[in-house]
Amino acid sequence: MHFYYRWKKKSDVTENLNSNQIESHKEKQYTNQVVDKDNQSIEGNLIYNSQSIPVLYYHSIDYEKGNELRIPKEKFRQQMQYLKDNKYTTLSLDEFYNFLVNNNPVPNKSVIITFDDGYKDNYENAFPILKEFGFRATIFVITSTIDKEKDFLTSNELKEMSSCNIGIESHTVNHDNLNSLDYDAQIKTLKDSKEFLERILGKEVKYIAYPYGKWNENTLKAVKSAGYNMAFTTIGGWSNKDQGLYTLNRVYVSNNHNMDEFKRRLTNSHYEVSN
Ligand SMILES: [Zn+2]
């Protein structure tokens, strides 16, 4: 697993709303109230796609000394508790896509939770907490690791999570640095990873996070041609439509950050990025 140790040290560093719920978002916009998936009324204004939304990105949820990519489970729980206590709505990537492209409104306290690489601890440690809080999230998985590498997710775990509000999307076949591949090789890893996941999950895979946050001009054509609708980078900051659907920013969550830093990134759309 040479690649695992290589990237884990670097700073390479959601089930969908059904149509009724999306309709209820639309209907409720005049009253400044929305209904979450538990049919509870959420206070707050709706926002439209002139606004930005924080897309958090995590890797591993399991403490390891000196590794900022690995967030201890209890720290992750505190962050999720903060989202719950402060009445955040976690969006699926389909909801986010509809917000960006179709201008479907979402609650102003919306957030998107993502995980890169597909570590087994996402199932063992993060998934129970996400379920407990009723949160949506998305995991971008490296398909060559599935059922092969013990520290990574299995197809059964992916299927179970996929049926419980967790979107499973692509992070290429081999954690490929797309910037270093020619166009045909990019198309191959983009398509192969997508088809592999679609076979396991029985649902369409439409989103990707670029490994190492690397891409080039060919990538922007290749992801579109391979059938993806959105792609995420590791450029820090909140996401909005002006960034382009294939180069969306994300908010890095590191174990070097304390709770104040987490809140700062979550509540300030123009937070200063230093990683
Ligand atoms: Zn990665």
Side-chain angles (χ1 to χ4, degrees):
M1 248 184 350
H2 58 287
F3 50 90
Y4 170 68
Y5 292 105
R6 192 177 72 233
W7 81 65
K8 77 175 187 176
K9 293 216 162 57
K10 295 179 68 142
S11 291
D12 127 54
V13 327
T14 331
E15 172 204 296
N16 314 323
L17 266 194
N18 64 37
S19 54
N20 289 338
Q21 288 169 308
I22 290 168
E23 281 309 307
S24 76
H25 273 232
K26 284 182 185 164
E27 286 164 14
K28 296 275 184 178
Q29 66 188 266
Y30 300 109
T31 61
N32 279 345
Q33 291 270 313
V34 292
V35 174
D36 74 9
K37 64 185 175 22
D38 303 318
N39 278 332
Q40 290 174 329
S41 181
I42 301 174
E43 296 294 327
N45 298 314
L46 294 172
I47 55 169
Y48 292 83
N49 68 1
S50 56
Q51 305 283 306
S52 303
I53 290 180
V55 180
L56 306 178
Y57 78 104
Y58 293 89
H59 293 80
S60 178
I61 305 300
D62 194 11
Y63 178 70
E64 183 184 57
K65 193 167 185 251
N67 188 340
E68 67 176 67
L69 295 184
R70 299 175 73 113
I71 311 273
K73 187 178 166 181
E74 280 315 307
K75 188 167 183 172
F76 179 72
R77 170 183 286 282
Q78 280 172 11
Q79 294 171 349
M80 297 302 104
Q81 186 72 53
Y82 179 84
L83 298 181
K84 190 75 176 179
D85 292 346
N86 289 277
K87 300 190 163 41
Y88 275 87
T89 299
T90 53
L91 303 182
S92 69
L93 292 190
D94 284 346
E95 290 173 286
F96 186 48
Y97 179 83
N98 282 322
F99 168 78
L100 292 179
V101 174
N102 301 321
N103 204 17
N104 283 7
V106 297
N108 70 338
K109 279 186 165 182
S110 287
V111 63
I112 294 159
I113 301 168
T114 70
F115 300 84
D116 281 10
D117 302 337
Y119 295 106
K120 190 162 204 78
D121 57 53
N122 292 179
Y123 176 80
E124 292 173 340
N125 295 337
F127 181 46
I129 295 170
L130 293 166
K131 263 198 298 196
E132 179 186 329
F133 288 107
F135 284 168
R136 297 182 171 85
T138 300
I139 305 177
F140 296 104
V141 300
I142 305 158
T143 58
S144 64
T145 65
I146 297 167
D147 298 324
K148 299 259 170 34
E149 303 277 356
K150 71 174 175 52
D151 293 330
F152 291 83
L153 295 161
T154 65
S155 47
N156 282 338
E157 290 161 349
L158 294 176
K159 274 189 268 192
E160 183 184 339
M161 290 193 287
S162 174
S163 66
C164 295
N165 287 344
I166 310 296
I168 307 298
E169 305 291 339
S170 175
H171 199 42
T172 76
V173 174
N174 290 304
H175 206 261
D176 299 299
N177 178 347
L178 294 167
N179 189 34
S180 71
L181 300 180
D182 67 23
Y183 182 79
D184 289 345
Q186 290 196 35
I187 283 280
K188 182 164 170 49
T189 187
L190 294 168
K191 279 192 172 168
D192 286 355
S193 57
K194 184 178 194 293
E195 287 164 10
F196 183 91
L197 289 174
E198 287 174 346
R199 273 197 303 276
I200 290 175
L201 303 169
K203 59 173 81 162
E204 200 183 352
V205 168
K206 294 179 276 191
Y207 311 114
I208 186 165
Y210 300 135
Y212 312 104
K214 301 274 194 195
W215 81 94
N216 59 26
E217 285 303 312
N218 275 339
T219 312
L220 303 181
K221 290 179 216 146
V223 282
K224 204 170 180 179
S225 167
Y228 291 95
N229 291 343
M230 286 191 300
F232 295 85
T233 68
T234 55
I235 297 173
W238 290 25
S239 299
N240 62 61
K241 68 175 186 338
D242 297 335
Q243 292 158 5
L245 292 176
Y246 297 107
T247 47
L248 292 163
N249 292 354
R250 287 189 293 171
V251 176
Y252 178 46
V253 185
S254 160
N255 196 32
N256 291 343
H257 302 160
N258 61 20
M259 199 61 192
D260 284 345
E261 178 62 13
F262 178 77
K263 291 177 199 168
R264 191 180 73 88
R265 289 172 178 239
L266 187 68
T267 52
N268 179 0
S269 64
H270 292 95
Y271 74 88
E272 196 182 327
V273 181
S274 59
N275 259 0

